[in-house]
Every structure is written in C-alpha cells, then in structure tokens.
Amino acid sequence: MTRRTGPREAGFDAERLARLDAFIEAEIAARRLPGAVLGIVRGDAPVRLDAFGTRDPRTGAPMTTDTLCWPASMTKPLTAAGALLLVESGELILEEAVGDHLPQFRDRRVADHRRSRNARRHANPPSST
C-alpha cells in the first residue's frame, strides 16, 4: 500500500467516521464485543487502521492491528468478497492452501478449511465416508 492518507483527502467525512469509533466502543462497553480492528482503504491508500478493546477478555491482552482473527459466520461474506477480488486480479487461486498466503494458518486444522475454497463455506465440506 502507499502512504497513509487522511479521511478528508480520501473523500470521507471525519465526523461520520468518528461514529464508527463510538459504535465499536459502545459495543465493547456493553460486553457484546471484546475487541475489533477497523480498517478502511480507498484505492491503494490506507485511510484508517485502528484497534479497539481486547483480543482475549480473560487476560486483557489488547487487540492490535495485526491480531489474527479466525473468520467466523459473520465475517465469511467479507472474507469471500476479498478473496474473489484477489482471484479476479490473479493473486489467489481457490485451490491453494490458505497457509501458502498466511503462514500463521499453515498448521491450523479445523474441518477441511486448509483450502481457500473451503475456508469461505458456511458449512463443513461433505465427509468422504
């Protein structure tokens, strides 16, 4: 990515963006969400990248902008859209192992989510038995 740009320069209203912070902070305060990372990019310029709350409520470890979060049901549509953009640009092949791109997930074994195609499915792939 290129240098970070401010919200106004990227065409965003800073006051409206501040509502996102307030919403996330309210969700954390109400204990409906332990933490979150907010990332906004316009074109190839990062506009916002901020972490809120904790990544582990038991230990109080803070959420950071590089905290890895496992894609769950509500994030799968966003993960799928991002992956398909990468497929369209030739940067991702659906049959590649997720760990080829994200080494942190190389040894992760949850159902058969080792392939990019399966990681975006809501249900586990059919069993071979």
Side-chain angles (χ1 to χ4, degrees):
M1 285 197 234
T2 61
R3 71 171 184 83
R4 195 173 186 142
T5 189
R8 284 210 200 306
E9 295 85 8
F12 289 96
D13 181 329
E15 291 177 17
R16 292 183 77 187
L17 285 178
R19 292 183 201 168
L20 292 172
D21 292 24
F23 174 77
I24 293 169
E25 289 166 358
E27 292 297 298
I28 292 169
R31 296 181 179 226
R32 289 188 288 262
L33 182 68
V37 174
L38 172 64
I40 301 174
V41 176
R42 168 81 34 105
D44 64 350
V47 177
R48 292 273 314 269
L49 183 59
D50 298 294
F52 301 83
T54 63
R55 66 176 172 232
D56 186 344
R58 292 177 314 236
T59 66
M63 182 71 79
T64 62
T65 57
D66 63 350
T67 297
L68 290 175
C69 301
W70 188 253
S73 294
M74 296 305 293
T75 57
K76 282 182 184 166
L78 296 174
T79 302
L84 291 175
L85 288 171
L86 293 172
V87 168
E88 188 174 61
S89 67
E91 297 177 58
L92 178 69
I93 298 170
L94 291 179
E95 293 305 320
E96 290 178 323
V98 173
D100 290 349
H101 297 278
L102 299 170
Q104 302 88 336
F105 290 104
R106 187 165 287 130
D107 297 322
R108 186 81 176 229
R109 301 289 185 245
V110 177
D112 189 25
H113 291 162
R114 294 179 303 269
R115 300 277 170 222
S116 297
R117 178 183 307 275
N118 292 337
R120 292 178 320 285
R121 293 181 177 161
H122 281 279
N124 293 337
S127 103
S128 58
T129 58

